[in-house]
Amino acid sequence: MLALGPLLIVTVFVLVSSETYWALKYLVPAFAPCCGPRWGLHAAWIAFLLFNGMFNYLSCVLTDPGTHTSEVYADLVYEASQRGDIAPSEWEEYAQRHGLPAKRKRLVRWHRFDTRDASADGIMSSSSSGGMNATTTSGGSSGGVASGGPSSSASASSETHHHHHQNGGATTSSGTMGGSQHRVRHAAAAPSSSSSGGRHRAAAASGARRAGPHRGSWIDRGPYEWGFCRYTHGPKAPRAHFDHVTKKLVLNMDHYCPWMFNVVGYANYRYFVLFLVWVALACLYGVAITAFPFLAMANGGATGTAHTLTSLVGVTRAHRPTSKHARSAVMFTFVLALSVGIAVAILGGWHVFLTLTGQTTIEFYGNHTLRQRAKQRGLVFRNPYDRGLVQNWRHVFGPRHPLLAILPSRRPPPGLPWPDDDGPDDPTAAGNSKRIGDDMV
């Protein structure tokens, strides 16, 4: 698979160069005199499509998607050790393995997240009993959600015991479907203050400690819980997955793309989606300028119904290319643009859907499994990373106006690999889950 990557990159450059040359040499001059005003407008549009498409393509190819050896991953591991999400020894081992200093500067964007999460800790910490109950609700968009309380029901106690077992003995509060995980911190005790409202990603009951990194399947971890990667022998961040082609652990991994010769993940996902968008637009333009010439060529020997249909749409002999090179350019461009355009439009639409629903391809299939588990328990699963269309879009493209967000830019991702806002004020809107797979009480 890796050996195929360089060949496909060369193929992309050959196809793009050939199509650009044919468009300016043969296709556009067929209806706009060469170097005239109309030709200039088409040439400018072609250059605009070419620059946007190739900028995002090369950015996706050359950008580290957020592998376990990248700076952004090191920042996350260090911050997790400082916040108590992983043991300090895990950071020390990670830093030693990758030749990093033991002390690292804390970044502003992580500070912003830390400040918000500090208030969330108070929301879900227990002020007296050190435990939380989980009460299920039914129906509506928040079906199968939890609300905290001073006592525990029998079912919640059973579920908590199950979580305790799978987390290597860490005692946690349990909830229901589709919400934030109760992070168990290394602090001696959770904050004692409490408040209402907001979405938490916070600590568990008072005095709880994280006994060790979770080594099971990602689907059985909490959505904000750190685990352990048995391939890299290091901390595994939330939403991170190991890619068996490149042998790297990747943040928000979506898939390995041989055309990119790279994994599509956290740091280059925006480039990948925009590349698909610009390629789809370029293919649409290619079909538009070659459709009539192609139909005129196909209509050359047609009779009966075929001749009538092409005549109805205005295709005449005047649209038929005269030179052999022009006919070859029209045929190749039309067939390539139509076939590639349909495929890329479907793929691009799929990734726009994933962007707007706060998922990756891997998470989509995992969420399907969790949705089935919830259905068996009479609950409704909600994706814990889904913040609504606008916030999901901004999580990938940032707060800019959408028309500005799709323009070329080397800006880094706008925030953490997982949503860093506290969510809606209603604590039952997203639920309070300990883990993704076993959070249905």
Side-chain angles (χ1 to χ4, degrees), residues 166-407:
Q166 292 207 11
N167 271 304
T171 304
T172 63
S173 57
S174 78
T176 61
M177 164 88 324
S180 304
Q181 170 245 349
H182 296 183
R183 275 195 222 167
V184 184
R185 300 185 180 272
H186 284 275
S192 61
S193 61
S194 63
S195 60
S196 61
R199 189 173 190 276
H200 74 282
R201 306 192 170 119
S206 301
R209 287 176 178 269
R210 186 175 184 274
H214 191 283
R215 295 171 182 261
S217 169
W218 70 271
I219 209 170
D220 294 323
R221 280 192 287 133
Y224 303 104
E225 180 183 1
W226 283 72
F228 179 82
C229 180
R230 66 178 183 272
Y231 299 104
T232 61
H233 304 289
K236 186 175 184 179
R239 307 189 79 179
H241 300 277
F242 185 79
D243 174 51
H244 292 273
V245 178
T246 60
K247 309 300 181 184
K248 297 287 183 70
L249 183 65
V250 182
L251 292 167
N252 291 29
M253 177 182 169
D254 190 272
H255 67 287
Y256 174 81
C257 180
W259 289 96
M260 300 293 174
F261 192 39
N262 200 358
V263 181
V264 177
Y266 166 67
N268 63 353
Y269 187 68
R270 184 181 80 247
Y271 301 129
F272 178 75
V273 175
L274 290 180
F275 172 72
L276 296 178
V277 170
W278 290 111
V279 168
L281 289 175
C283 289
L284 179 63
Y285 174 75
V287 170
I289 65 174
T290 57
F292 274 33
F294 182 84
L295 291 175
M297 292 169 56
N299 192 34
T303 58
T305 304
H307 178 77
T308 302
L309 290 176
T310 53
S311 298
L312 287 175
V313 296
V315 177
T316 64
R317 287 184 176 274
H319 293 101
R320 187 174 184 180
T322 55
S323 68
K324 179 181 178 181
H325 292 295
R327 288 195 294 271
S328 298
V330 167
M331 291 181 62
F332 186 82
T333 301
F334 181 82
V335 173
L336 180 69
L338 184 62
S339 57
V340 172
I342 292 174
V344 169
I346 294 173
L347 182 61
W350 166 250
H351 281 281
V352 169
F353 163 77
L354 292 177
T355 297
L356 296 178
T357 53
Q359 305 177 86
T360 63
T361 299
I362 294 174
E363 291 168 355
F364 174 83
Y365 291 106
N367 289 342
H368 176 74
T369 298
L370 300 175
R371 200 168 284 111
Q372 296 302 312
R373 292 184 185 180
K375 186 177 181 180
Q376 292 174 0
R377 300 190 184 189
L379 301 175
V380 177
F381 173 77
R382 292 190 64 189
N383 174 18
Y385 306 123
D386 186 0
R387 294 293 187 276
L389 298 180
V390 174
Q391 293 302 324
N392 291 339
W393 169 271
R394 290 178 176 176
H395 185 249
V396 174
F397 291 92
R400 297 182 178 185
H401 188 281
L403 293 180
L404 296 177
I406 65 174
L407 295 179

Side-chain angles (χ1 to χ4, degrees), residues 120 123-124 132-148 163 173-183 197-202 222-224 379-387 421-436 439-441:
I123 292 173
M124 293 310 300
M132 306 289 278
N133 76 325
T135 306
T136 59
T137 61
S138 61
S141 61
S142 58
V145 297
S147 58
H163 293 163
S173 57
S174 78
T176 61
M177 164 88 324
S180 304
Q181 170 245 349
H182 296 183
R183 275 195 222 167
R199 189 173 190 276
H200 74 282
R201 306 192 170 119
Y224 303 104
L379 301 175
V380 177
F381 173 77
R382 292 190 64 189
N383 174 18
Y385 306 123
D386 186 0
R387 294 293 187 276
D421 61 308
D422 292 332
D425 291 335
D426 180 7
T428 67
N432 304 320
S433 67
K434 169 61 190 78
R435 63 183 69 253
I436 301 179
D439 52 3
M440 292 81 71
V441 178

Side-chain angles (χ1 to χ4, degrees), residues 44-73:
W45 175 245
I46 291 172
F48 179 74
L49 292 173
L50 177 64
F51 178 76
N52 279 275
M54 294 308 296
F55 174 87
N56 286 287
Y57 178 74
L58 292 175
S59 295
C60 190
V61 170
L62 300 175
T63 300
D64 188 305
T67 61
H68 68 280
T69 58
S70 65
E71 285 292 313
V72 66
Y73 201 96

